Amino acid sequence: MVSFIGRSFVQKIITLFFVSIVSFLIIHLAPGKPSQVDPMNPKFTPEMVERFSKEFHLDKPLYVQYVYFYQDLFTGKTASWKDNQSVLKKIWERFLNSLPLFIVGTLITWTLSFPVGIRSAIFREGVYDRTATFLSYLLISIPGFFFAYVLIIFVVTRFHVPVIGMETFGIGDASLPYILMDRIWHMLLPSVLGATGGIAVLSRYVRSQMLEVEGQDYIRTARAKGLPPEQVHYKHALRNALLPFVTMFGLILPGLIGGSVIIESIFSWPGMGRMAYEAILARDYPVILTVNFVSAVLVLAGTFISDLLYLIVDPRIRL
Amino acid sequence: MTIRRVLIFAPILLIVVLLQSYFWVPTYEQQTRGNPARLAEYIAGSIGDASLLNPILTADSASSNIQDFVFEGLIDRDEQLRFRGRLAKSWEVFEEAFFYVNPSASIPGLGKADPQTLAAFVKDAQKKNHATDPGLKNSLKRITEISVLPPSTFSVTRPFKDPNTDTQETIEIRVAAPARIKLVLNGVDPDLFQNLSHLLGKNYFESFHGKDYLSSPSQHGKEKLPAYAEELLPATEHNPILLFHLRPGVRFHDGHTVEADDVKFTYEAIMNPKNLSPRISDYEPVKTVQVVDPLTVKIVYKRLYSPAIGTWGMGILPQHLLNSKALEKEALGLGKDLKTFSMRQSTFNRRPIGSGPFKFREWKSDQYITLDRFDDYWEGPPNYQRYVFRIIPDLLTQEMEFYAGTIDSYGVQPHQVKRLEKDPKFQSFAGTAFGYTYIGYNMRRKPFDDPRVRRALGMAIDVDKIIQYVLYGQGEQITGPFVKQTDYYNHHIQPLPYDPKGALKLLAAAGWQRNKDGWLEKNGRRFKFTLITNSGNDLRKAILAIAQNAWKQIGIDVRTDLLEWSVFIQERVNKADFDALILGWQMGIEPDLYQIWHSSQTHPYQLNFVNFKNQEADDLIIKIRQEYTHDRQVEYSHRLHEIIAKEQPYTFLYVGKWTAVLDKRIVIKDVDDAGNIRYEKIKPTQTGNYAFYFNKWIKLPKAPNFMDEG
């Protein structure tokens, strides 16, 4: 066990190192310049571009820039080129904004997918199963942004309530329960939208896992010995069908960053994904690279956690 | 079975909790009805957030938008785009001119003269007023003061890079400057020295060679002397001067008065290399900024450069909050390194203090920036109590928020205006924008070096159709590079007619004949080129296809290519590696065309990438820069416009329109001296600025009916 943790830790560090090099190279070799040294701005003289380049170390060879950047990152000194704010502070603030959206979205996905999927599996090929299948594929195929627009227009024109942002604009000094509920309301649409794709995919997984397990010999045995069907489905089948989902649980961590760019932009939610997106547009290298690094760490941490969970849940696996 | 129950009730519970929140949220009606303060609030929607709220550090549009409310410059432009005083009550423009006494030149009727005699001679000529040349007469009349500066010696050091050893060293240059005559004028006279040469002899100024008065102890220095002569000892020198008289009693938001020191400080902050100001090039022509007294500031320029006046619209920073002492204190407080701490790192940029009509209140990144009105504003406080800048990165969401009344304005698109035009709840505005779209030809390459070919290419394209079908009518045809709503634009020039037959005739005159397949040919070579533009701009993409088709009609084999923006600029435009391209320019009000049209700007990475070279145009461009009289500038611009329209280096296509939509309840509220309140409908100014009277806007509970609305 300890040796497994140690080994995987070393492996992850090595992977991270390569990720850092590759992401650094991709961002620096991609066409386009940071907006501060945009050569097409007639206001910028070559001397100014040069001075900005110097200030940002852009005139140095790439490997020197690499060292500078990661040195700053690990000493916590990285600052955004756009507004000179500390990148880590910015990311932390945005992370706190994204977190509730992520939590609610995940809760919706995971609580909804299981009952839907299980029912589909139990009554397979029935009307319910077919409808669920149809809806799943529909939700998978509709682009998220389109669905978001339709929902916003529907809610705004029908119910006349605000849905944009983290709270009703100018709600000011309402009492606490109102503010709290207002926040929850604003979380509803974006998190539901963020969850739709997840529900559709996950409920399909649950269905197929259940079907696979339901065909096993021990399920037939359980049925044969006269157990009530409910106990067979929910105790014998479900528990065994759950195993693969344990690994998936670890993998949702990186969704904290990547999963929400479009939704956050449409709902003007000041979250992480939107910050990263805007940094890419402005070629704000420190922000892009830091977000990239953090998400790489999250991916690796996610895989590590799911390995550990698997180890705990499935007694057959010994490392 | 508990598992089953949990599986069913958990999601139901969750959904119920989420949905019931709906009943707690105020609807839009409740928001405005129960909240009269909303009427005194103006909420503007914006796609992007500001970066730094410091006018000398940033130039992006979102930041400038806020800066314009918080900071105030010395001057700005009025309805007719003329300069108008803000922090400056009034200003004077005059010049000091210098020339070195040329001991070798012989003056007609005087011979070789020493400095004192020369000065007396000029004074005498001015007094007698018998000059025959009208220009000279005029120039002499303007001189208010003549004095002699005695000879001086000084030495300077200049960096020098040895080409053989590649080492950096400095060379010393000793200057033994001869006596100099200083003239003070009551205005700016670009032709002064040309006119004076009628008095002092044709070659008086040309025959003065600065390098004769320079020496250097080092060998490298000696070789470099001619190169520095022009810089160190120019025969003649114009020093235009702007003398600003500040408005007394104007205060910053923290109560400190705005004084000449603040102006000087702002200038120095821009020039400070540590601050990396993007505006540094605007202020490069400034020689010195002198504080005459707390309310007078004198700005001396190195040379004639009239666009420089407009740069004083720049917001003035409070010196007492940002000078080196204040920054030092802040750095110590934050525990930052003193050496690297500059204005860029200061927290001032996130809670600025200026002297504009609104003062800063709060900034939540990527959510909103709020400003409160500044009650001590010198022109009287604005009607709105609060200005809110909301960041909504999505256009459709902005529109939804606008419908619902949670934003008062947003960057509305032409097709969205169409939807709202007939709605009695809204008022909409439109006007000519400040940028134009064009097709540029690379005149380094054949056959684009022939003006007939360029003209023919332009005549083959139906610009009216482009405006009608691509822009939905939201554009106007233009004929030249000036902003259409300014005086500089020459309205006498007719746009190129749409005339494919005429185009073929012109091409035939240039030697291009149609072959049996219908393609144009000259000496057995087909007329073939590639038209490029950047991807991601649907309008340009549509024009690309239209132009390609129009040219194919007259037998030109055109390929097209869409390139990613940075590749397009860096690989093709900057390296002048293209045949023809579609691009647009955003124009300023100043008629300065130097960067885009002067023949010295045709090198790689410069903006005259079509290689337009015309001697007369060059002269006019320089003259426009040096002229301080509006009427003359207009005259030169009209001629320049004519030349460019004749040469057709670009096929000028169209200038777009800006659009804006507001709630009808927003009106102009004016209070006259007797205290009578008068409401007026918002009307765009002649030059198309609908928000010119923003400080007088207010939202009323009900839309008023105006008599003049027919």
Side-chain angles (χ1 to χ4, degrees), chain B residues 589-606:
Chain B
I589 296 163
E590 290 294 341
D592 185 14
L593 298 185
Y594 188 80
Q595 282 181 304
I596 301 178
W597 296 101
H598 196 268
S599 62
S600 66
Q601 305 293 307
T602 52
H603 302 289
Y605 294 94
Q606 288 179 324

Side-chain angles (χ1 to χ4, degrees), chain B residues 27 69-70 99 119 127 189 227 241 301 347 443 527 569 638 661:
Chain B
T27 66
F69 286 112
V70 176
F99 66 91
K127 214 179 290 162
D189 184 4
I241 290 168
Y301 283 90
T347 49
M443 294 195 259
F527 197 156
I569 294 301
H638 282 190
V661 172

Side-chain angles (χ1 to χ4, degrees), chain A residues 35-49 51-52, chain B residues 55-56 58-60 64 276-284 305 307-308 310-312 314 585-590 595-596 607:
Chain A
S35 54
Q36 286 83 355
V37 292
D38 183 359
M40 247 346 242
N41 189 336
K43 284 231 162 210
F44 288 1
T45 59
E47 300 88 66
M48 268 183 51
V49 170
R51 264 190 305 116
F52 265 107
Chain B
I56 74 154
T58 48
D60 60 292
S64 315
L276 294 171
S277 169
R279 297 179 192 266
I280 197 164
S281 60
D282 289 349
Y283 294 85
E284 182 274 326
Y305 184 63
T311 58
W312 294 102
M314 161 85 209
W585 285 122
Q586 270 303 318
M587 301 301 296
I589 296 163
E590 290 294 341
Q595 282 181 304
I596 301 178
L607 301 182

Side-chain angles (χ1 to χ4, degrees), chain A residues 108-136:
Chain A
I108 296 178
T109 315
W110 286 74
T111 50
L112 234 66
S113 311
F114 278 91
V116 171
I118 292 169
R119 206 180 142 85
S120 283
I122 295 174
F123 302 103
R124 61 178 168 277
E125 303 299 321
V127 179
Y128 173 84
D129 183 31
R130 282 167 197 274
T131 322
T133 309
F134 174 74
L135 281 178
S136 301

Side-chain angles (χ1 to χ4, degrees), chain B residues 222-235:
Chain B
K222 283 198 180 79
E223 287 163 13
K224 284 274 169 187
L225 286 183
Y228 286 116
E230 186 54 32
E231 180 206 331
L232 293 169
L233 283 180

